[in-house]
Amino acid sequence: MNIRSQNVWQQVNTKDWPVRPGMRREIDFGFDREIPEDDRERYRTFFAWAEEHFTFPVTLWIDLRYRHYLLSPERRQVGYNIYFHPDIPLQDVTDEKDIPVADVPVRREKWRFDEILYSLIECITEYHLRLLGLGDKDINNYSADTQEILDLYQEYLGAEAAYWD
């Protein structure tokens, strides 16, 4: 897999992270019950690929929501919300109650699968920025990193164009 060394996913991948006793190093996820099983399987496949190729030093919990969009705390429509414990640097989290939690809307009537996946990858990119101590950076400045991960996944999967609709 060819990825730029500047990509934040790759930066997290190449750093030596301490193993915290009792802390799982993965993506955990849940689904709203209205999400169709074939869509669930697509997300499971993506998460398995991400965990196989990238490091997650602290568990990231992602709730996939059966919605077209979410509202940010400022009441704007957004493609995801991610919440971090305000007083603990992410790399120092030792208790599962303090892990970051994200909500990602995945209802597909208005959005293509690759557009939803882009939001999901952007959310994980924000998690990686926080791990690297760059949580104050504007996520929009990392769109090339997010797109690179989406491109790598699409290349890996090799699915027909209809899969991404």
Side-chain angles (χ1 to χ4, degrees):
M1 184 168 65
N2 192 13
I3 185 171
R4 294 174 302 120
S5 61
Q6 306 93 315
N7 188 304
V8 295
W9 288 53
Q10 184 64 7
Q11 289 178 43
V12 168
N13 234 24
T14 57
K15 192 171 177 177
D16 187 27
W17 298 97
V19 175
R20 307 273 186 213
M23 181 59 59
R24 293 174 293 124
R25 299 167 61 112
E26 63 187 6
I27 300 172
D28 262 346
F29 52 92
F31 300 100
D32 281 350
R33 73 180 94 116
E34 300 89 353
I35 297 171
E37 184 56 40
D38 60 328
D39 286 353
R40 290 176 187 220
E41 193 54 39
R42 288 179 180 201
Y43 295 111
R44 287 184 192 106
T45 301
F46 170 74
F47 292 139
W49 173 83
E51 287 180 339
E52 180 181 333
H53 292 92
F54 297 99
T55 301
F56 295 87
V58 174
T59 300
L60 171 61
W61 178 267
I62 300 175
D63 279 317
L64 299 167
R65 302 293 185 186
Y66 188 68
R67 293 177 179 74
H68 293 296
Y69 60 86
L70 299 172
L71 292 178
S72 71
E74 298 80 28
R75 311 290 296 157
R76 290 187 336 250
Q77 292 181 0
V78 294
Y80 69 91
N81 282 317
I82 188 165
Y83 309 96
F84 299 96
H85 193 286
D87 303 324
I88 303 172
L90 193 52
Q91 60 272 21
D92 294 338
V93 170
T94 57
D95 192 320
E96 294 236 350
K97 71 177 177 44
D98 297 325
I99 65 172
V101 175
D103 292 322
V104 179
V106 297
R107 194 165 173 181
R108 293 192 48 217
E109 292 86 358
K110 292 184 178 183
W111 309 105
R112 293 170 36 106
F113 179 65
D114 59 347
E115 293 170 322
I116 294 169
L117 199 55
Y118 184 94
S119 288
L120 178 58
I121 294 167
E122 185 177 62
C123 175
I124 298 170
T125 301
E126 188 169 334
Y127 156 89
H128 286 312
L129 286 169
R130 182 65 70 104
L131 278 167
L132 294 169
L134 302 172
D136 60 337
K137 302 295 183 190
D138 184 354
I139 190 66
N140 293 319
N141 294 336
Y142 293 87
S143 59
D145 293 29
T146 300
Q147 187 63 52
E148 183 175 24
I149 298 302
L150 179 59
D151 292 345
L152 287 169
Y153 182 63
Q154 288 177 321
E155 181 182 319
Y156 163 82
L157 207 55
E160 296 179 19
Y163 180 88
W164 306 104
D165 287 340

